[in-house]
Amino acid sequence: MAVYNPKSLKAEEFINNEEILATLEYAEKNKNNAELIDEILNKARPVKTAGGAACKGLTHREAAVLLACEIPEKIDEMYKLAEEIKQVFYGNRIVMFAPLYLSNYCVNGCLYCPYHLKNKHIARKKLTQEEVAREVIALQDMGHKRLAIEAGEDPVNNPIEYILDCIKTIYSINHKNGAIRRVNVNIAATTVENYRKLKDAGIGTYILFQETYHKESYLKLHPTGPKHDYDYHTEAMDRAMQGGIDDVGLGVLFGLELYKYEFVGLLMHAEHLEAVHGVGPHTISVPRVKRADDIDPDVFDNGISDEMFAKIVACIRIAVPYTGMIISTRESQAVREKVLGLGISQISGASRTSVGGYTEEERPHDSEQFDVSDQRTLDEVVRWLMELGCIPSFCTACYREGRTGDRFMSLCKSGQILNCCHPNALMTLTEYLVDYASAETKKTGFELIENELKKIPGEKVRAIAAKNIEDIKASNRRDFRF
């Protein structure tokens, strides 16, 4: 029997089934223990520091108690705390990005993904470098600056050399005032050597969803292909960090297994990265199973309600206060709006989940990886965020200024990252408004920026940001950053 050890590099020890089951039992016993819940909430509250504020976060057991809690007033208190913590670390900024699908060739047999090898009627496609360039220009013409590239696992069609060539192409395209400043990578688990190559290519965050932490379910859901190896997949983030990638992104696909089990496994993985590498996950994503070609989400009987989904987001934010939290266009506008204040700090906009989808006039549903619930344009999403009082941010400064890994986390955990992020968000939003926005969005945006400038701490920084914003408006100069 494997022994729970968060510092171990063996998947079965840092994601330990016995520990997860014991945690769930503990949470169930204490779900109405108001005194304990108060202690947990008080532990998680932000504490003022000289630089801003800090939070201790929670252990997976403590967070599991909050998720199980059934006391209405405590749940309300939990949501208010999640909102407070979100404001401390990320303020009202929401980072914008878009996925770019390079290839849907895949040798795996994943039962929840339309790219699985046995799906013979999906249109298979792999972008040439010329097609990658056209997709990038289409995304630049919307105003995107940050991409997350996606590809199926196929050593013949999608080797690491192909991925590296695509990254090089993406960074090379400058169109009008458009440039992709950061490429995040969401590809299959690979070797330390290949992670070094990705690091050398200048990627941002390496993202890999676990799908499910329940090993028995994992093996059934991945019956064939290299992804069937649970240990190799689960230990990928350790290899990525050994390869020099210090920003990694976790996630599970909620709906495949019981959500409480996944929640605990996810937090244990975050604890493991912190214990071994001194840096927790840069991001945590919270996708849910959605309909797609050859995939019926109703087959998976572990779906969660929108209300429980919001509670999960809030509990993750409280437990891992420093992490960025991502929600995609899998979710509807209503759901995304519900969870924005509870912890989400990054969202996608105008996404197409098909290979070559951005250069198609019509959305090609037959080759999408999943149904896109929020199909608004980027301009519509940006205006919606601003009307909610959020600052859509196209900033990638931290990557390019070396604020990654432990350097980012030290600033974030102390609350000092706001001093960089707030002015950078306003300057990149100004770029978007000047170069791409509709008249209505411009009006809303410039009013927001005028008000938000007043909130920048420090007269000197505020004056520099204001001057840079005026320079962006008056000329073609771009890419000011703190």
Side-chain angles (χ1 to χ4, degrees):
M1 180 183 297
V3 177
Y4 173 54
N5 179 7
K7 292 188 176 182
S8 171
L9 294 178
K10 295 182 179 179
E12 63 179 350
E13 294 182 354
F14 65 80
I15 305 294
N16 181 269
N17 181 63
E18 287 74 23
E19 170 62 19
I20 294 178
L21 295 179
T23 294
L24 296 179
E25 182 180 359
Y26 175 80
E28 182 65 21
K29 286 181 179 178
N30 288 284
K31 64 184 179 183
N32 293 316
N33 184 338
E35 184 177 353
L36 176 61
I37 291 167
D38 280 340
E39 288 179 10
I40 293 171
L41 290 172
N42 287 332
K43 175 189 173 184
R45 295 188 193 285
V47 177
K48 288 185 178 181
T49 66
C55 289
K56 292 182 178 179
L58 298 176
T59 67
H60 60 273
R61 282 209 174 191
E62 292 166 336
V65 173
L66 295 188
L67 187 64
C69 173
E70 295 179 339
I71 306 171
E73 57 268 28
K74 298 302 176 188
I75 296 174
D76 290 342
E77 190 175 345
M78 188 189 312
Y79 283 2
K80 289 176 183 175
L81 178 57
E83 291 173 357
E84 181 183 357
I85 291 172
K86 162 73 190 310
Q87 285 296 315
V88 165
F89 288 97
Y90 290 94
N92 58 345
R93 301 179 316 281
I94 302 292
V95 170
M96 309 301 301
F97 76 96
L100 174 56
Y101 283 73
L102 303 175
S103 171
N104 60 11
Y105 284 95
C106 192
V107 298
N108 288 310
C110 311
L111 301 184
Y112 51 84
C113 177
Y115 292 175
H116 66 83
L117 183 62
K118 291 184 179 180
N119 187 353
K120 300 303 182 183
H121 49 82
I122 192 172
R124 299 286 177 176
K125 187 174 182 180
K126 170 186 173 181
L127 297 180
T128 65
Q129 296 309 310
E130 292 76 16
E131 289 170 327
V132 170
R134 288 198 290 271
E135 289 283 288
V136 169
I137 288 171
L139 285 157
Q140 289 173 345
D141 279 342
M142 293 182 204
H144 278 295
K145 304 295 183 188
R146 177 191 304 236
L147 302 183
I149 59 173
E150 321 259 354
E153 184 171 10
D154 187 324
V156 174
N157 286 293
N158 313 327
I160 191 65
E161 291 74 20
Y162 171 70
I163 302 299
L164 296 171
D165 285 344
C166 290
I167 294 170
K168 185 176 180 180
T169 296
I170 292 166
Y171 280 140
S172 74
I173 304 299
N174 289 283
H175 173 68
K176 298 179 181 177
N177 283 329
I180 301 303
R181 296 171 178 164
R182 189 51 47 194
V183 177
N184 296 335
V185 175
N186 185 351
I187 61 170
T190 187
T191 63
V192 173
E193 180 185 0
N194 285 343
Y195 286 125
R196 287 198 184 101
K197 292 177 180 178
L198 290 171
K199 173 68 174 179
D200 291 342
I203 73 164
T205 305
Y206 173 67
I207 302 165
L208 184 67
F209 297 163
Q210 180 62 28
E211 320 301 3
T212 175
Y213 284 99
H214 191 283
K215 187 170 184 177
E216 183 179 347
S217 296
Y218 182 97
L219 297 176
K220 290 178 181 177
L221 288 163
H222 307 91
T224 58
K227 197 169 179 176
H228 178 73
D229 189 334
Y230 174 90
D231 292 345
Y232 187 78
H233 185 85
T234 311
E235 294 161 6
M237 294 308 186
D238 294 285
R239 294 194 302 278
M241 287 190 162
Q242 289 163 13
I245 298 174
D246 49 8
D247 283 349
V248 298
L250 303 179
V252 293
L253 187 53
F254 283 103
L256 297 180
E257 184 48 66
L258 296 176
Y259 70 89
K260 291 181 180 179
Y261 191 102
E262 305 291 29
F263 175 83
V264 175
L266 181 64
L267 296 187
M268 289 172 73
H269 203 166
E271 291 170 352
H272 162 72
L273 295 178
E274 185 84 42
V276 174
H277 304 284
V279 181
H282 188 72
T283 59
I284 292 178
S285 299
V286 286
R288 289 193 284 182
V289 176
K290 292 291 180 179
R291 190 172 302 280
D293 179 86
D294 201 46
I295 302 298
D296 180 0
D298 294 336
V299 170
F300 307 100
D301 57 1
N302 295 307
I304 53 177
S305 67
D306 292 348
E307 290 72 23
M308 183 52 66
F309 183 65
K311 192 177 183 184
I312 289 171
V313 170
C315 288
I316 293 174
R317 172 52 66 211
I318 294 170
V320 197
Y322 55 82
T323 195
M325 289 190 68
I326 301 174
I327 192 167
S328 75
T329 50
R330 285 175 181 264
E331 300 297 341
S332 67
Q333 174 181 342
V335 170
R336 302 216 297 176
E337 187 165 328
K338 186 181 184 70
V339 297
L340 275 176
L342 296 177
I344 297 299
S345 59
Q346 296 187 26
I347 70 170
S348 51
S351 301
R352 295 203 173 184
T353 66
S354 52
V355 179
Y358 293 107
T359 52
E360 299 281 347
E361 287 189 20
E362 298 293 329
R363 188 179 295 273
H365 291 287
D366 62 334
S367 61
E368 288 185 313
Q369 192 188 32
F370 56 83
D371 276 356
V372 174
S373 297
D374 188 344
Q375 298 189 7
R376 292 172 296 168
T377 66
L378 182 59
D379 187 81
E380 289 170 329
V381 173
V382 167
R383 187 167 65 251
W384 163 70
L385 286 171
M386 293 189 298
E387 289 169 349
L388 292 174
C390 300
I391 305 171
S393 174
F394 295 85
C395 181
T396 59
C398 282
Y399 296 110
R400 294 176 295 147
E401 296 293 330
R403 294 190 291 264
T404 61
D406 57 357
R407 295 168 297 287
F408 173 84
M409 288 300 173
S410 64
L411 288 170
C412 190
K413 290 179 180 180
S414 67
Q416 296 182 57
I417 196 68
L418 285 169
N419 299 329
C420 301
C421 291
H422 198 79
N424 283 333
L426 296 179
M427 290 187 294
T428 57
L429 176 57
T430 303
E431 289 179 336
Y432 173 82
L433 296 174
V434 171
D435 292 338
Y436 307 104
S438 65
E440 184 181 356
T441 300
K442 278 187 171 117
K443 183 177 183 299
T444 302
F446 288 135
E447 289 174 357
L448 175 72
I449 289 169
E450 185 178 351
N451 290 327
E452 290 292 334
L453 270 171
K454 301 170 186 175
K455 301 177 184 178
I456 294 177
E459 185 176 341
K460 183 177 180 181
V461 174
R462 188 163 56 250
I464 294 172
K467 174 66 166 57
N468 290 348
I469 285 171
E470 289 308 310
D471 286 346
I472 293 168
K473 290 179 183 179
S475 71
N476 285 327
R477 187 171 176 198
R478 299 290 180 268
D479 202 17
F480 294 98
R481 60 184 184 264
F482 284 92

